[in-house]
Amino acid sequence: MSFDGLFTRGMVKELQTNLSGGRINKIHQPSKNELLFVIRANGQNRRLLLSSHSSYARAQLTEEKIDNPNEATMFCMLLRKHLEGFTIEDITQVGLERIITFHIRGRNEIGDLTSKQLIVEIMGKHSNIILVDPVRGMILDCIKHVSPVVNRVRTLLPGHTYQAPPAQDKRNPLSVSADEINVIHFTDIGAAKTLVTEFAGLSPFITRALLSAEDFVQYMDLAKRHQYQPTMMVSSEQKESFYLWPLAISSVEVKTFPSLSELLDRFYFGKAGRDRNKQQAADLIKLIQNELDKNQHKLSKLANQLIDAKNADIYKKTGELLTANLHLLSKGMKTATVQDYYHPDLIDVSIPLDPRKAPNANAQHYFAKYQKAKKSIQHIHEQSALAKVEIDYLENILHQLETVGVGDIEEIRSELEEQKYVRVRERKNKKKKPKPKNPVLEEYTASDGTEILVGKNNLQNEYLTMRLAGKNNLWFHVKDIPGSHVVIRSDAPSEAATLEAAQLAAYFSKASESSNVAVDYTLIKHVKKPSGAKPGYVTYDHQQTTYVTPSEDQVLTLRHNGR
């Protein structure tokens, strides 16, 4: 992984510079694998993000907006009890391992001076965040509990002695001499693996980029002096990676950042958020997916019924042929062979009969089937239209659940309660229902300074489009695909602002990973909500269409333009 021992060393230096001596003011747990600390250091508030996610484990400062759940977890409450109001005395790394220790000191509830250690282990699926009493060496709690059944070597449970991960006993690449490096044949196929095996802190990601002993010495010298050029690289296959420096890999795009934390904010933009949302909205996603499957099955069944119903004319024709030949039929006959006067060659056809019925009753039976089939066609078309509307609504909700923040998910949950998809939850405080507040919209600033607003769920979309926006504001939405409503807060927007708003609409849609996305835009006065329509559903006319390619970089640029 890119977050190897060397990267950890660089991040520890960055955290030391920005957080040492800082006071922990607030602690939140945005998701089951993440912690967010608000720390007052060097005269300003810093936000420290710690993650034990199997794919996104890291420690960094962050400027990204991360919503916090309404109720804190037990682990979060424990951290608040032991760490809020305490001071970060130091931040250290264990050798060149991916283990960061925050040394924290303060006074407990009875006023005694006490020390704690918050240990962050960045080790893929084994990543963890552990609160330790250093005096007793005892684990107070950890974000992931690991019992002896799961791991016989290390037990990570409250009350157990903290035991560091087994040492790998590798050489420190920062202290080896040039002569020791020259014996390695970097041109060999297995050179990269050899470097990983022999030296601590090096991942395959960097060793594959070391093509000579000179490269090795150069990068290690930069690391020793903490001289970094935080870089995100995009390969020719559009795979993103990051490291301390721009590495000699096959890439089509290289972008550098002022700090390692800003690099990680950019690299993980969207990725970690989507995973966080899936955790918070797992029950809703499952419910909506089930409803979606039911409606798609219903639509398929209706299509088959329509095929059967289109036999209505055959039933009518059969009844007419029997009526014209009643004089040839008698009760008890199982089939009737009559001449088909509808056919140009007047061929004979065989018609099944019910021997228990009189000839006229058999004819009426076919006429009755004709009437039933004819009526069912209209019913099937009506039900199919309703199912399609339902599918569009559910697909839109599913898209929103996978892309919005935690606060937005609660708004979606409330909407689904109102729409009777979800049972209304009992509130702890039943005295008085709080007065609903206006939804908080995503705000962006165009390159010319114009304000652009984005709705991230149906409640926000409806508020933005039907209440907040002026009638001559431009409104944007991807064509025929679930997505956000976007509005430019100007009656005379520039071409640049129009294009940027279209890019936002494309990015915040189901077509976010596509290219050349069709985006419709029109004035708000041409956007209408049909009577009885579901939340967020609108119709529009007088639209124009532009084609854009969504870009995360562009979204970040527009977000930061207003800062």
Side-chain angles (χ1 to χ4, degrees):
M1 63 183 295
S2 301
F3 208 119
D4 60 12
L6 278 187
F7 195 97
T8 303
R9 184 174 181 272
M11 180 56 73
V12 166
K13 178 64 175 177
E14 186 171 300
L15 296 178
Q16 287 172 340
T17 302
N18 289 282
L19 299 180
S20 289
R23 183 178 187 272
I24 300 172
N25 288 335
K26 294 180 182 178
I27 303 174
H28 302 286
Q29 188 171 351
S31 70
K32 67 178 183 179
N33 296 314
E34 291 178 317
L35 295 172
L36 185 66
F37 291 71
V38 179
I39 300 165
R40 185 69 178 178
N42 301 320
Q44 58 182 306
N45 288 333
R46 300 282 191 174
R47 299 166 77 238
L48 170 67
L49 177 66
L50 305 178
S51 174
S52 63
H53 191 281
S54 58
S55 299
Y56 311 133
R58 65 198 187 279
Q60 65 161 112
L61 300 172
T62 184
E63 293 294 329
E64 288 302 315
K65 176 187 175 185
I66 302 175
D67 293 322
N68 298 304
N70 295 328
E71 295 182 10
T73 65
M74 293 297 292
F75 184 57
C76 182
M77 294 295 289
L78 182 78
L79 291 178
R80 289 175 179 177
K81 174 185 175 182
H82 286 283
L83 302 182
E84 279 191 352
F86 280 40
T87 300
I88 298 175
E89 289 195 322
D90 198 7
I91 304 168
T92 59
Q93 179 185 16
V94 178
L96 277 180
E97 301 293 339
R98 289 171 290 162
I99 302 174
I100 303 174
T101 302
F102 292 82
H103 302 268
I104 302 168
R105 192 173 178 85
R107 296 192 179 277
N108 60 22
E109 59 269 19
I110 61 174
D112 292 338
L113 201 60
T114 181
S115 297
K116 297 292 184 296
Q117 289 180 346
L118 190 65
I119 301 171
V120 183
E121 299 179 348
I122 303 170
M123 302 184 300
K125 67 179 182 179
H126 301 295
S127 298
N128 213 329
I129 303 173
I130 307 156
L131 181 64
V132 174
D133 179 346
V135 176
R136 294 179 290 168
M138 187 182 77
I139 297 173
L140 298 176
D141 205 351
C142 39
I143 204 165
K144 296 178 184 177
H145 289 182
V146 182
S147 70
V149 176
V150 177
N151 190 328
R152 296 179 182 178
V153 178
R154 295 179 74 213
T155 298
L156 298 176
L157 291 173
H160 284 251
T161 300
Y162 174 74
Q163 182 181 356
Q168 298 186 31
D169 298 324
K170 296 181 181 181
R171 288 193 287 169
N172 187 335
L174 303 179
S175 59
V176 296
S177 65
D179 291 338
E180 291 177 276
I181 298 302
N182 285 327
V183 301
I184 297 176
H185 300 287
F186 284 83
T187 55
D188 289 350
I189 295 177
K193 186 176 181 180
T194 299
L195 290 171
V196 171
T197 303
E198 290 194 17
F199 295 101
L202 301 184
S203 62
F205 186 76
I206 183 174
T207 56
R208 286 195 295 266
L210 299 176
L211 305 179
S212 66
E214 289 75 16
D215 285 344
F216 187 100
V217 172
Q218 177 189 2
Y219 282 123
M220 294 311 110
D221 184 57
L222 290 171
K224 279 188 281 188
R225 292 183 283 117
H226 287 293
Q227 292 186 353
Y228 307 118
Q229 191 178 2
T231 304
M232 189 173 85
M233 295 151 279
V234 183
S235 71
S236 52
E237 293 82 23
Q238 296 301 303
K239 291 183 178 180
E240 295 178 338
S241 56
F242 65 86
Y243 206 60
L244 298 165
W245 312 281
L247 300 178
I249 63 171
S250 176
S251 60
V252 294
E253 184 183 346
V254 172
K255 186 172 183 179
T256 59
F257 295 82
S259 69
L260 299 179
S261 292
E262 289 177 70
L263 164 64
L264 295 183
D265 264 352
R266 171 60 188 88
F267 181 81
Y268 287 110
F269 176 74
K271 300 180 182 68
R274 283 189 287 272
D275 183 81
R276 190 182 301 120
N277 295 341
K278 286 181 180 178
Q279 292 179 27
Q280 297 291 338
D283 60 326
L284 294 182
I285 290 173
K286 183 178 180 180
L287 181 144
I288 294 301
Q289 188 60 61
N290 288 339
E291 289 292 324
L292 189 57
D293 292 342
K294 282 195 292 186
N295 277 275
Q296 288 171 336
H297 177 71
K298 177 182 178 181
L299 195 61
S300 176
K301 190 175 179 180
L302 288 169
N304 292 330
Q305 291 176 359
L306 185 61
I307 294 172
D308 293 338
K310 287 182 177 177
N311 291 325
D313 289 339
I314 296 176
Y315 297 140
K316 179 183 178 184
K317 171 186 167 182
T318 303
E320 290 174 346
L321 290 177
L322 290 176
T323 301
N325 292 279
L326 286 176
H327 61 286
L328 300 176
L329 309 177
S330 60
K331 188 175 182 180
M333 295 177 65
K334 293 184 178 180
T335 58
T337 302
V338 299
Q339 191 178 62
D340 184 1
Y341 51 79
Y342 288 102
H343 196 281
D345 297 330
L346 299 176
I347 61 172
D348 288 341
V349 294
S350 181
I351 301 173
L353 300 176
D354 185 341
R356 296 167 300 175
K357 294 180 179 179
N360 186 58
N362 269 296
Q364 292 304 314
H365 171 70
Y366 279 104
F367 282 127
K369 290 185 73 174
Y370 161 69
Q371 290 296 334
K372 183 178 179 181
K374 185 179 178 182
K375 288 179 181 178
S376 70
I377 290 176
Q378 181 180 353
H379 176 74
I380 290 170
H381 282 308
E382 290 173 354
Q383 290 299 309
S384 295
L386 290 173
K388 288 176 182 176
V389 169
E390 193 79 358
I391 287 170
D392 287 345
Y393 175 73
L394 293 170
E395 286 182 338
N396 193 35
I397 289 289
L398 196 59
H399 164 71
Q400 292 172 4
L401 286 171
E402 292 173 347
T403 56
V404 299
V406 176
D408 302 315
I409 290 172
E410 288 305 307
E411 291 179 347
I412 294 172
R413 190 184 294 275
S414 297
E415 176 189 333
L416 293 173
E417 289 177 352
E418 291 180 4
Q419 296 296 313
K420 311 300 183 186
Y421 288 98
V422 181
R423 184 179 300 174
V424 178
R425 296 169 296 177
E426 289 189 12
R427 293 176 173 83
K428 293 181 180 179
N429 184 4
K430 298 181 180 179
K431 292 181 181 178
K432 191 175 181 181
K433 189 176 181 180
K435 186 179 179 181
K437 299 178 181 178
N438 290 334
V440 178
L441 304 168
E442 288 276 350
E443 298 181 7
Y444 294 85
T445 305
S447 54
D448 63 0
T450 306
E451 182 183 25
I452 303 174
L453 298 178
V454 178
K456 302 294 287 297
N457 58 51
N458 288 332
L459 186 63
Q460 294 178 14
N461 286 337
E462 197 151 300
Y463 170 70
L464 172 61
T465 301
M466 310 311 298
R467 292 175 56 193
L468 182 63
K471 66 179 182 178
N472 290 316
N473 288 171
L474 268 184
W475 177 89
F476 297 76
H477 195 283
V478 286
K479 189 178 183 69
D480 302 326
I481 295 175
S484 294
H485 294 198
V486 177
V487 170
I488 300 179
R489 295 280 281 164
S490 169
D491 290 350
S494 65
E495 288 186 15
T498 301
L499 177 62
E500 288 161 353
Q503 288 175 321
L504 287 172
Y507 182 80
F508 291 109
S509 77
K510 204 172 182 180
S512 60
E513 296 183 3
S514 305
S515 58
N516 208 30
V517 177
V519 177
D520 288 340
Y521 62 98
T522 188
L523 296 177
I524 283 288
K525 63 184 178 183
H526 299 310
V527 182
K528 311 293 181 186
K529 179 178 181 178
S531 178
K534 288 185 177 293
Y537 180 80
V538 296
T539 59
Y540 56 91
D541 51 30
H542 294 80
Q543 73 269 22
Q544 299 180 61
T545 304
T546 187
Y547 293 85
V548 297
T549 297
S551 164
E552 280 190 356
D553 284 334
Q554 180 69 1
V555 172
L556 283 168
T557 299
L558 296 175
R559 173 183 285 185
H560 294 150
N561 276 345
R563 292 183 180 177

